[in-house]
Structure formats: structure tokens, C-alpha cells
Amino acid sequence: MLLTVKIKSLRLLATATIGWVLTVLPLPLGDAGFTMPAALADDDDGDDDGGGSGGGDDNGRGGDRDNPAYHRGGGGFHDLRSLFRWPSRERRTPMRRPAPTPEQAHNELVAIGLEEDAIAGLTQEGFAVDDRIQVSLIGSEMVRLIVPAGMTLDSARAAVVARSATAVVDLNHFYQPQSENKAGCSGEGCALVREIVGWPTSEITRCAKPPRIGLIDTAINIDHVTLTNTRLEVIRLSEGEATKSGAQHGTAVAALLIGHSDSRVPGLLPGAELIAVDAFQRSGKTADIANIYDLVRALDMLAQRDVKVVNLSLTGPANAVLEKSVKAATESGMILVAAAGNDGPNAKPVYPAAYDDVIAVTAVDKGRNPYRRAVRGDYIDIAAPGVGVWTAASISGARQKTGTSFAAPFITAAVSVLIAGDPDMSLESLEAKIRQFTDDIGKPGKDPVFGWGLLNASRLCESSSDTKPSAL
């Protein structure tokens, strides 16, 4: 009898509790009983910014949405299960992360200066010549070798070196663009980033005629309204649609450099001549990579076209073949400007930016704070805007972009103006001159965060006062 009374009491208590919850905590009921989360739209680059409609940070978090019992759409609890922590019956599919992009081709080596006898001997050992081309920049032939099956890359490189003591041999490393996506902007906020360096937008087309600019990047949407009626030439190295790189990165960088002055994204140097080489290929579904063999080919093409300044918004590991090519390019009078990298402040140096003969550019936000993911080190030379930079989207319109990739074009453009009156200016003279156009915003002197400081472009046109004004 006592047991029966207790059971009835428990039932009455449970009924009263549920009734109180339904009265005091009204739930967001819809046609089906409960409101379902709203779908998040993909942005133009195929990435989900994760910002949602509630406002959030760069990681897509916002307000109380971090509470697992909070509902994104209506701001209430999902149902009584979540309230009482009852186990859910629905299956959760584990998140699939994309496979990491390999650092190099798994069975390839690249060599410069390999003699015919050495190539013949390597062929007998089982190596295969996949491609070979004369590199005028270096004055030697570059060969891409396929390593024999079962041989490690280290053993293969040792075998090649044993055949030729003078050849430069390394792995066929991969390099990638340096950017991340940000939400779009509108109004005066879009121009603020450019204004922090005092870029002379109105008079830049009248104060100097910059030399031909080179760009090694991904594919470019030449039909984008921002790039119509511009002096843009695009050279693609790879063949076939299957390996075509995406146009997000290349289009954004090209527009930032030479976007038409009447468009939504006027370039830093509208009207300047830009020769862009698409040296990238699509790897997997989203990654774009450029190998050493194609990067050297691209540099050689630009050298043959008498390009004076080259923008390299890409990074990768140290490579002996790339180092030799960079040195040859700078010795010929070419100025190379490269992104410092987005691997984080404690990451190891990335290349080509970390080579002594390259101008390494880091990024800051509109408050002159260092970009949180920018690589730091003694090789950093100068800082420029790189957080929330307003530039062209891949298909149409514009959006904000973030990364050291978008800081590099500011320095490429500034260098182009500085050498307009003296195209044969040495790298040493240029470095001394560009220091006059920086604000030291870090520790006094050169530091590993900002280099010599933040670009101050407000007096760029004064530097070319000895040059006759001419329209671009």
C-alpha cells in the first residue's frame, strides 16, 4: 500500500513539474512543433564564413550560440530533451576534414644544370625525364625527373648529386596562396584599410608611370567588371580544365593592383600594365598549389618580358632550385615582393619571402595591429594593410579579404612608383629609399613583427617629382 502511494506521488510531481516548465519557459513552437535552425549560405568563394545573422567573431561564434541548448534561429531551447539532458536518438555524422595538402610531389625531383651524361646515367638507373626546359634567367636547363619506384626521395636526390656535383637538385615542392575569407562590407568602412597608409588614390595616375608589373598567382577572371578595359595579360602554364586553379585568389590580387578606377574596387595603380602567370593547379576540391618547376618557369617568362617588379602572394618551404632562381632574378634587376605567410606568429620561416633578396611583407589591420596569423621573424621587411581589404570576388562584385597575400600588393605598387624614375635602381638603393616611406610602429628600428614599419604612402608622388608627369 505504501509503495502504491509513493508511485502516485512521483507521477503527480512529474506532471506538475512539466506543467510549470511549459508555463514559465515558453518554447518557440512552429508548424511542426519546434523551430528548426536556419541554413547558412555559402559565400562567393565556396567557404562558409559562419557569421550567421546574430553577429559573431572570425570563427563564426556569436552571442549565446555557444550554449549547446541555445537555438540559432529563435534563441530558445530546442525541446525538453535538451532541457533535461535526455540522450538524443539522432545519429551524429563525424565531421570530415579535408586531407592535408602534401608538401611536395611524391615521386619527382627538379634539377638545374644537369649534364647530358648525368641524365643518361640516371635513366639507366631507372629515372625518367618527365620534362625539360631551358631557363634563360639562369642560363641553364631545368629537368623534372620521375624517381624509380621503391626509391625514397632522399635516396633519389643523393643519386642525382652523385652523378653531377655542380647541379642544383631538390624536391618538387608545392606552394600555396596566403589568404582567408572575410564577410563583405559596404560604405566608408571599405576604404578605411587603404587609408591607414595614406594611399594617394586621386593623384597616383598622374604622378608617375610605373614599370611593367608581374604577378605569379592562381587563375584570374578576366571578365570581372573590375578588370575590364585594363592592361592585363594572363598566361596559363597548365593544360586542361581538370587541373585549372580557382580564380578567387588571383582575381582579388590582380584587382587590388590594377582594378579600373571607375569600378567598385579601384586598383592601387589603375592603368598600369600587369602580366600575370597562372602557375597553379587545383589539388583536391579546394586547394590550389604551384610546384617548383612551374614557379621557375613563371619567373623566367616574366624576366623575358622585361618585368621589373613581381608580386608573389604565395608561400612554401625552402628549396635550392627556387633559391637559385630568385638570386638570378634579383641579380638581373628584378624586384621580388612576397607575402610573409599566414601560418601563425610562431611558425617557421616561409619562402620565397624569407630569402634575403626578397622583400617580405606582413599584414596589419585598420588599427595598425599585426594580423593574428602572420608569420614573424627577422626576415620581415615591411608591413601593409592585409585585414579586411576590399577587393574583387572571383565571379562578380567585391568582398573583404584577409591575409599577407593582400598586403604584398601595397608594397608591389609602392615599389613600382619608387622606381618609376629609375627602373635600374639596385635592390640596396630601393630598400634604403623605401625605409623613408615607413612609420616605425613596433620596437625602434627593424623588428620581427613589422620589419622597418608600416608603409606610409602619402608622399609617394613626391618621390617621383623628378619624373615628368604622365598618364598611365
Side-chain angles (χ1 to χ4, degrees):
M1 182 68 177
L2 181 60
L3 179 61
T4 303
V5 171
K6 286 185 177 181
I7 292 175
K8 288 183 178 180
S9 300
L10 288 173
R11 286 177 177 173
L12 289 172
L13 178 61
T15 303
T17 301
I18 293 174
W20 176 84
V21 168
L22 292 175
T23 303
V24 178
L25 300 177
L27 302 178
L29 301 181
D31 294 337
F34 299 100
T35 305
M36 298 301 293
L40 299 177
D42 288 340
D43 60 31
D44 177 67
D45 293 328
D47 299 321
D48 185 357
D49 284 334
S53 59
D57 60 17
D58 289 345
N59 298 317
R61 297 188 296 268
D64 290 333
R65 286 181 296 179
D66 288 340
N67 185 339
Y70 189 86
H71 188 278
R72 290 195 187 190
F77 291 95
H78 284 293
D79 52 24
L80 290 178
R81 279 183 197 277
S82 62
L83 180 63
F84 288 105
R85 301 184 183 276
W86 289 347
S88 174
R89 294 181 181 178
E90 60 183 83
R91 294 182 178 179
R92 293 186 178 181
T93 304
M95 182 183 297
R96 292 183 178 180
R97 296 183 178 179
T101 303
E103 194 173 79
Q104 72 278 320
H106 74 282
N107 66 339
E108 295 179 2
L109 295 177
V110 178
I112 290 177
L114 204 57
E115 303 88 350
E116 286 296 334
D117 290 345
I119 294 176
L122 291 169
T123 303
Q124 291 178 354
E125 292 183 35
F127 286 83
V129 176
D130 184 59
D131 197 16
R132 57 196 302 177
I133 187 172
Q134 188 69 26
V135 180
S136 59
L137 182 64
I138 303 174
S140 182
E141 187 180 52
M142 180 171 61
V143 181
R144 183 166 59 199
L145 297 169
I146 303 298
V147 174
M151 183 181 289
T152 66
L153 288 174
D154 288 339
S155 298
R157 181 164 49 182
V160 175
V161 171
R163 288 282 181 179
S164 176
T166 60
V168 178
V169 187
D170 213 329
L171 312 185
N172 197 9
H173 283 120
F174 295 148
Y175 293 73
Q176 293 185 278
Q178 293 296 290
S179 68
E180 67 170 309
N181 300 310
K182 301 291 284 186
C185 70
S186 60
E188 296 180 358
C190 301
L192 288 178
V193 173
R194 186 175 300 196
E195 289 177 356
I196 69 170
V197 294
W199 191 264
T201 303
S202 58
E203 65 267 31
I204 196 69
T205 58
R206 300 188 299 272
C207 72
K209 182 178 181 180
R212 186 176 293 153
I213 302 172
L215 172 65
I216 300 178
D217 216 292
T218 68
I220 296 174
N221 176 15
I222 60 175
D223 296 322
H224 196 289
V225 65
T226 300
L227 296 173
T228 56
N229 300 319
T230 59
R231 300 169 67 190
L232 170 64
E233 178 185 358
V234 180
I235 304 170
R236 186 182 174 197
L237 295 185
S238 60
E239 300 286 340
E241 290 296 317
T243 59
K244 187 176 181 180
S245 62
Q248 294 93 339
H249 194 270
T251 302
V253 175
L256 189 54
L257 282 168
I258 64 162
H260 198 279
S261 58
D262 293 332
S263 69
R264 291 181 63 194
V265 189
L268 297 166
L269 295 175
E273 182 180 1
L274 179 67
I275 299 179
V277 182
D278 175 10
F280 284 76
Q281 299 179 29
R282 180 52 56 100
S283 173
K285 294 183 178 180
T286 58
D288 290 317
I289 58 174
N291 60 58
I292 281 295
Y293 192 80
D294 287 340
L295 285 181
V296 174
R297 288 173 60 199
L299 267 179
D300 191 47
M301 286 182 174
L302 294 176
Q304 292 181 43
R305 292 172 178 260
D306 195 31
V307 169
K308 293 298 182 182
V309 186
V310 179
N311 190 95
L312 300 163
S313 292
L314 52 92
T315 68
N319 183 281
V321 174
L322 178 62
E323 184 176 11
K324 184 174 181 64
S325 303
V326 164
K327 189 171 184 61
T330 54
E331 287 179 349
S332 71
M334 186 180 284
I335 306 297
L336 303 181
V337 180
N342 301 343
D343 296 337
N346 298 316
K348 60 185 180 181
V350 293
Y351 299 84
Y355 289 127
D356 291 338
D357 297 326
V358 177
I359 299 176
V361 186
T362 190
V364 299
D365 62 19
K366 63 183 180 181
R368 293 185 163 198
N369 303 303
Y371 170 44
R372 62 186 176 84
R373 290 177 56 182
V375 179
R376 302 179 182 184
D378 293 337
Y379 69 95
I380 303 300
D381 292 308
I382 192 168
V387 178
V389 178
W390 184 242
T391 187
S394 60
I395 300 175
S396 63
R399 63 182 294 112
Q400 285 179 300
K401 297 282 187 175
T402 291
T404 55
S405 273
F406 308 107
F410 281 86
I411 306 305
T412 298
V415 167
S416 298
V417 174
L418 289 175
I419 68 172
D422 185 8
D424 297 324
M425 184 185 300
S426 67
L427 180 60
E428 292 76 14
S429 299
L430 172 64
E431 289 178 339
K433 191 169 186 178
I434 202 170
R435 289 177 201 169
Q436 303 172 16
F437 296 88
T438 58
D439 293 334
D440 193 348
I441 60 175
K443 295 181 179 179
K446 189 176 183 183
D447 66 74
V449 179
F450 303 103
W452 290 108
L454 176 65
L455 172 69
N456 184 340
S458 61
R459 296 182 295 106
L460 271 182
C461 284
E462 297 176 18
S463 70
S464 56
S465 58
D466 56 343
T467 305
K468 294 181 180 180
S470 57
L472 295 177

